Amino acid sequence: MEQNINLEKAESLKEEANELFKKQNYVKAITLYSNAIEFNPNSAVLYANRSFAYLRTECFGYALEDASKAINLDKTYVKGYYRRAASYMALGKTKLALKDYESVFKARPNDKDAKLKFNECSKIVRQQAFEKAIAVDTIKKCISESINIESMSLESSYNGPHLIDGKVTKQFMEELMEAYKDQKKLHRKYAFKILLDVEELFKSQPSMIDVTIPEDQKFTVCGDIHGQFYDLMNIFKLNGLPSTENPFLFNGDFVDRGSFSVECIFTLFGFKLLYPNHFFMARGNHESQTMNQMYGFEGEVKSKYSMQMAELFTEVYNWLPLAHCLNQRVLVMHGGLFSRDEISLDDIRVTDRNRQPPEEGIMCELLWSDPQPMKGRSPSKRGVGIQFGPDVTARFLERNHLDYVIRSHEVKSDGYEVAHDGKCITVFSAPNYCDTMGNKGAFINMNGKDMKPQFVTYDAVPHPDVKPMAYANSLMSLFG
């Protein structure tokens, strides 16, 4: 096919795309960079720019591809290596990222930023190698077994909420949320107690939870919260507090990016303990150690509590259920469907979840996959999981006698999206995601009788002046 090369046109489209990028309109910027590439397919700069826009929209697989193309076109183009290193970091592939940071550092030995990123990445790779060596040498003991709650004393100066006889009560939850709104902290003794109790509760549950919704009862499904505590409070203001009469399901990605993740997770875990049969939580791809190290949750827990607590969170997250089936009609998971047609609900039920998310298979795809408009399956834009088309959804629903699926995992400008002929619904509950995306948030209400989704959308509310990613790994500044 003869290429229609027009360097002037490509340059003009690039300038336009750069302006859109500055205004944080990444999706439109990607379209224009793509148009520019058609007019000048040999420009490393265009691929690197589009790679950066893909990074911003969390399409790490595509970002990686574009960065590699930029490097292939120009082996000396430093930004190409920067972008590829960032893509590898986002995917938790730290050794590959280190190779690219090393290339940047060798090319620019006097560049402070290059040196800083190379050193920081080296540190992470060494730390991971050390942790791996320890794990091999010793039988991995449960963090929960090493925690002695009784030895933790309550200082007389502590004026926050108290557990009653070691239990979460409605009064405790109301006081906890008020304390968090005032940026106060829950005592570490109570924080540890909640974590240990909720771990035992999750341990007793299967990987897929069957939920029964009575005919006349409302049920609410929320998507990603991502550490946006004040928006979580707004959800409860709009929809009422969780109770036995007002059940909720939070569909993963409770933490990371937003800098009030600790407040979010203890609020949600508290409600789980208070209403164990009417408050549900599913694991998202961000309830994992690699993501928490990169995107801020580990840093936030270390800052507000301790590394020991961060390790306990990792252990607790391993026990979160992977999916919920509502009235045997609707399947809810964080990511999406599978690379194989024959997967059944029973396969999900027996999936071993007590581990870090693997790179492939049922658990990986439940946490990472995304829908696509065209039929069939494609490699994931994220570099993990797959993309699945309307035909894949239709076959899965038919095979498992389901009406539709609900998933989260993707920012949507309206807070939700109905795709695949109404059979695949995305719900995302973090409005103005990362204080930059300008999207609405949404949650879904339905009743047990007809299970029809009703969407409630809302805008972001103000929050104290702590920026998103405030606790993230410094290498993530490439995204900022």
Side-chain angles (χ1 to χ4, degrees):
M1 191 181 86
E2 197 179 312
Q3 280 172 331
N4 182 17
I5 293 185
N6 182 335
L7 301 187
E8 261 180 50
K9 181 75 176 152
E11 188 59 26
S12 144
L13 284 163
K14 184 187 86 173
E15 294 305 319
E16 214 182 317
N18 288 350
E19 284 308 308
L20 286 165
F21 185 96
K22 282 180 201 159
K23 291 175 181 156
Q24 296 164 339
N25 192 338
Y26 306 121
V27 177
K28 273 199 180 144
I30 287 167
T31 303
L32 290 188
Y33 287 133
S34 302
N35 293 346
I37 286 167
E38 284 175 27
F39 288 110
N40 183 8
N42 303 316
S43 164
V45 175
L46 286 174
Y47 280 109
N49 285 11
R50 190 171 70 175
S51 175
F52 201 9
Y54 276 136
L55 279 169
R56 289 289 177 87
T57 54
E58 300 183 21
C59 297
F60 304 131
Y62 289 177
L64 185 61
E65 229 172 87
D66 272 0
S68 294
K69 280 179 186 160
I71 292 164
N72 290 339
L73 287 165
D74 182 354
K75 295 276 186 288
T76 64
Y77 186 48
V78 169
K79 269 189 182 167
Y81 293 97
Y82 256 134
R83 300 288 177 256
R84 192 165 72 180
S87 308
Y88 280 136
M89 285 305 293
L91 290 164
K93 297 182 189 298
T94 47
K95 282 184 188 165
L96 292 168
L98 183 59
K99 276 173 78 172
D100 283 338
Y101 282 131
E102 190 175 13
S103 301
V104 173
F105 183 45
K106 279 180 178 165
R108 292 185 179 172
N110 300 321
D111 185 318
K112 275 186 186 168
D113 187 59
K115 186 178 180 180
L116 177 83
K117 287 190 163 63
F118 174 64
N119 289 340
E120 183 64 28
C121 193
S122 304
K123 204 165 79 186
I124 293 168
V125 169
R126 283 198 305 272
Q127 175 70 22
Q128 286 176 342
F130 176 67
E131 284 167 4
K132 204 171 177 182
I134 291 177
V136 170
D137 290 346
T138 57
I139 296 167
K140 193 141 171 60
K141 67 175 194 306
C142 292
I143 302 293
S144 50
E145 287 170 15
S146 67
I147 290 161
N148 181 359
I149 299 267
E150 300 313 311
S151 68
M152 298 178 195
S153 53
L154 280 169
E155 299 76 10
S156 55
S157 59
Y158 176 69
N159 62 357
H162 292 267
L163 293 174
I164 313 297
D165 298 328
K167 293 275 188 288
V168 171
T169 60
K170 186 165 180 278
Q171 182 187 339
F172 170 83
M173 286 309 299
E174 286 166 357
E175 288 175 9
L176 179 68
M177 290 184 287
E178 287 309 312
Y180 280 158
K181 285 175 195 170
D182 295 337
Q183 291 185 273
K184 292 178 180 165
K185 208 170 84 171
L186 178 64
H187 195 280
R188 70 188 188 103
K189 179 171 186 156
Y190 296 143
F192 272 115
K193 180 79 169 90
I194 285 173
L195 285 175
L196 294 175
D197 287 355
V198 89
E199 182 179 13
E200 284 311 303
L201 178 54
F202 285 133
K203 268 185 183 176
S204 71
Q205 299 188 312
S207 289
M208 188 185 91
I209 308 265
D210 286 286
V211 180
T212 304
I213 307 165
E215 279 205 357
D216 55 350
Q217 189 169 55
K218 179 179 87 170
F219 189 86
T220 303
V221 180
C222 296
D224 303 36
I225 298 296
H226 276 302
Q228 296 185 197
F229 174 75
Y230 295 85
D231 294 308
L232 174 62
M233 291 300 97
N234 189 39
I235 291 172
F236 291 152
K237 186 177 166 186
L238 295 170
N239 199 56
L241 284 176
S243 69
T244 50
E245 290 75 43
N246 193 24
F248 276 82
L249 162 56
F250 280 85
N251 196 29
D253 283 13
F254 322 115
V255 300
D256 275 341
R257 293 190 178 272
S259 297
F260 304 95
S261 291
V262 163
E263 291 77 3
C264 285
I265 196 64
F266 278 120
T267 301
L268 296 172
F269 278 169
F271 277 122
K272 178 66 192 168
L273 289 169
L274 184 57
Y275 304 116
N277 302 316
H278 297 86
F279 191 89
F280 304 94
M281 296 173 72
R283 191 172 188 172
N285 62 305
H286 276 268
E287 279 69 55
S288 76
Q289 192 173 22
T290 311
M291 292 286 136
N292 294 166
Q293 284 169 345
M294 290 295 125
Y295 290 97
F297 183 61
E298 184 181 286
E300 187 181 336
V301 177
K302 274 167 34 181
S303 165
K304 293 175 180 176
Y305 290 100
S306 64
M307 189 58 206
Q308 184 190 35
M309 187 181 284
E311 288 170 354
L312 179 58
F313 267 110
T314 298
E315 190 177 294
V316 175
Y317 288 160
N318 282 350
W319 288 106
L320 280 164
L322 302 176
H324 292 77
C325 190
L326 312 180
N327 279 4
Q328 301 178 327
R329 291 173 63 181
V330 179
L331 186 68
V332 189
M333 80 294 278
H334 180 72
L337 295 179
F338 311 100
S339 49
R340 302 195 338 264
D341 265 356
E342 64 272 16
I343 302 297
S344 70
L345 296 184
D346 283 337
D347 293 321
I348 301 172
R349 284 190 181 95
V350 299
T351 298
D352 169 26
R353 70 184 189 278
N354 178 24
R355 55 187 170 146
Q356 286 304 294
E359 298 257 313
E360 56 185 20
I362 290 176
M363 180 170 170
C364 167
E365 289 159 0
L366 282 167
L367 300 182
W368 278 97
S369 290
D370 296 292
Q372 63 178 23
M374 56 283 203
K375 284 185 169 184
R377 294 178 171 90
S378 310
S380 171
K381 60 188 178 185
R382 299 175 189 268
V384 192
I386 61 144
Q387 287 174 200
F388 58 97
D391 54 330
V392 175
T393 301
R395 289 194 299 271
F396 176 80
L397 295 174
E398 191 178 345
R399 183 185 174 90
N400 291 286
H401 312 294
L402 296 166
D403 294 357
Y404 60 94
V405 296
I406 296 176
R407 40 87 62 184
S408 303
H409 194 41
E410 281 182 293
V411 187
K412 297 294 174 189
S413 57
D414 294 328
Y416 72 95
E417 183 181 75
V418 181
H420 295 184
D421 307 315
K423 303 296 185 190
C424 180
I425 293 171
T426 299
V427 60
F428 191 85
S429 302
N432 195 22
Y433 180 44
C434 286
D435 286 0
T436 59
M437 297 301 276
N439 59 292
K440 287 188 181 303
F443 53 82
I444 298 172
N445 285 331
M446 60 180 76
N447 61 50
K449 189 175 182 184
D450 60 24
M451 300 296 286
K452 280 206 175 98
Q454 311 286 331
F455 301 98
V456 179
T457 64
Y458 48 90
D459 291 313
V461 295
H463 63 75
D465 189 20
V466 186
K467 299 277 181 285
M469 302 287 277
Y471 300 95
N473 184 289
S474 61
L475 285 172
M476 291 293 114
S477 63
L478 265 173
F479 298 80

